[in-house]
Amino acid sequence: MSVLDEDKKKLIVNEIEAWRRGKMLPEQYCDFLQNLYLDDLADKPKNMVGAAIQRINKATRKEWFLVFGLFVSICLIVLHFSVFPLLLQIAIVGLGTSGFVAGSAWWRERLPKRAYLLTLGGVLYLLASGVALLKLHGWTGGPGPLILTGICALVWIVCGIGLRIGLLHWAGWMAVVALYASLLWQHTSDPSRFEVQLYWLPASLLFSWLSWFAHAKFKSAGGVLFGTALVLWFMPELYSALLGIKGGFIIGEWIAKALLLSVILYRFRKKWMEWVV
């Protein structure tokens, strides 16, 4: 068999494996198709571990050096991160996060599970490295945590919209909610029940309107914004409970708002379901 035919066979076998991982065809169909192109059934990967071992076994010298160099570079960066200049530390955090995002975007259509894992890795990397920066430079007691929360929120929202990952998008808005709550706690003192409601309910109504406005162009964004609006609807009670503001009225307010929300959702169910589903 010529080298060209062998390369074509490998390409087809790898494509069938991609179909198997992506659940595009039933398992038995993938086995049947793969057996047509495998001369030796021992070459067939039994699972992900077997496929990984085969891939390592067939790796070229260039790939070995590339992986080894990448591993050594990561170790050196981790071990010497604290002695790097601040700008270099920020650049490393930004480049690392960008790498996770780029990988997730690359595998988004072909291997969604791998894309989600890379997205999760990017979220954890940005958060962990950001906290490490705050601790290294003694910024944990000042505005540092708020700035980190804002940066994480911005990155998660943009990446969630761009990669069409609703959970990441929603996590970004939850970070915004946490940032807003922190700012309220720092700049308000002993607010009344009416003031607490006024802090949050207009935002809930705003996100409800944004859910309707955005669902036509960004289908997944409609559900995310609607979910954020629901969280904001009950945030006054949660905010009051966390800070001990007028605790005796929290349960009554929560029940009344839950009943009101149930009536509104039932009354307009045919409209808001179009935004979310």
Side-chain angles (χ1 to χ4, degrees):
M1 182 180 293
S2 65
V3 177
L4 183 59
D5 292 337
E6 186 68 23
D7 291 339
K8 288 182 178 179
K9 187 183 75 169
K10 290 181 179 179
L11 179 62
I12 294 173
V13 171
N14 291 334
E15 190 65 26
I16 295 172
E17 276 298 311
W19 294 348
R20 184 198 306 274
R21 290 191 296 268
K23 306 296 183 182
M24 298 176 65
L25 286 176
E27 190 77 17
Q28 59 270 25
Y29 291 173
C30 293
D31 291 338
F32 173 76
L33 292 174
Q34 203 168 48
N35 291 338
L36 295 177
Y37 293 96
L38 285 176
D39 298 329
D40 185 2
L41 292 180
D43 293 336
K44 178 184 175 182
K46 300 295 188 299
N47 48 39
M48 293 181 63
V49 177
I53 293 175
Q54 283 192 357
R55 189 166 185 177
I56 293 173
N57 188 40
K58 296 179 180 179
T60 63
R61 184 179 301 177
K62 182 179 179 180
E63 291 173 339
W64 273 99
F65 278 110
L66 180 62
V67 173
F68 181 75
L70 183 62
F71 175 75
V72 172
S73 300
I74 293 175
C75 291
L76 290 175
I77 290 174
V78 172
L79 292 175
H80 298 87
F81 184 78
S82 60
V83 300
F84 291 154
L86 176 60
L87 291 179
L88 182 57
Q89 292 175 345
I90 295 175
I92 291 173
V93 174
L95 289 175
T97 304
S98 300
F100 279 105
V101 173
S104 179
W106 176 263
W107 296 108
R108 179 70 177 86
E109 300 296 336
R110 298 176 59 187
L111 295 173
K113 291 183 179 179
R114 182 178 297 182
Y116 291 144
L117 288 176
L118 288 172
T119 302
L120 178 61
V123 169
L124 297 178
Y125 174 81
L126 177 60
L127 192 59
S129 57
V131 172
L133 273 179
L134 296 182
K135 290 183 177 180
L136 281 175
H137 297 279
W139 295 339
T140 55
L146 297 180
I147 296 175
L148 176 61
T149 304
I151 293 174
C152 289
L154 179 62
V155 172
W156 295 345
I157 290 172
V158 172
C159 293
I161 295 175
L163 299 177
R164 301 190 302 279
I165 300 178
L167 187 60
L168 181 61
H169 184 188
W170 184 75
W173 285 118
M174 290 301 98
V176 172
V177 171
L179 179 61
Y180 179 60
S182 299
L183 292 174
L184 282 179
W185 176 72
Q186 292 181 6
H187 295 89
T188 58
S189 59
D190 194 23
S192 64
R193 284 183 296 157
F194 176 76
E195 289 175 333
V196 173
Q197 297 290 336
L198 195 60
Y199 292 153
W200 295 98
L201 291 186
S204 177
L205 298 177
L206 174 63
F207 272 84
S208 299
W209 177 81
L210 288 175
S211 174
W212 166 81
F213 182 78
H215 84 282
K217 293 185 177 181
F218 304 100
K219 190 67 176 179
S220 62
V224 170
L225 295 173
F226 190 76
T228 305
L230 294 180
V231 172
L232 290 170
W233 179 261
F234 293 106
M235 272 304 298
E237 288 69 42
L238 179 59
Y239 181 79
S240 299
L242 292 176
L243 301 182
I245 302 174
K246 305 295 183 182
F249 299 94
I250 293 176
I251 297 178
E253 290 177 353
W254 188 90
I255 293 175
K257 290 174 66 175
L259 291 174
L260 177 61
L261 180 63
S262 300
V263 172
I264 294 175
L265 291 179
Y266 179 78
R267 176 66 178 81
F268 299 100
R269 62 189 182 279
K270 293 184 179 180
K271 294 184 178 295
W272 64 264
M273 283 185 177
E274 295 180 359
W275 315 342
V276 179
V277 180

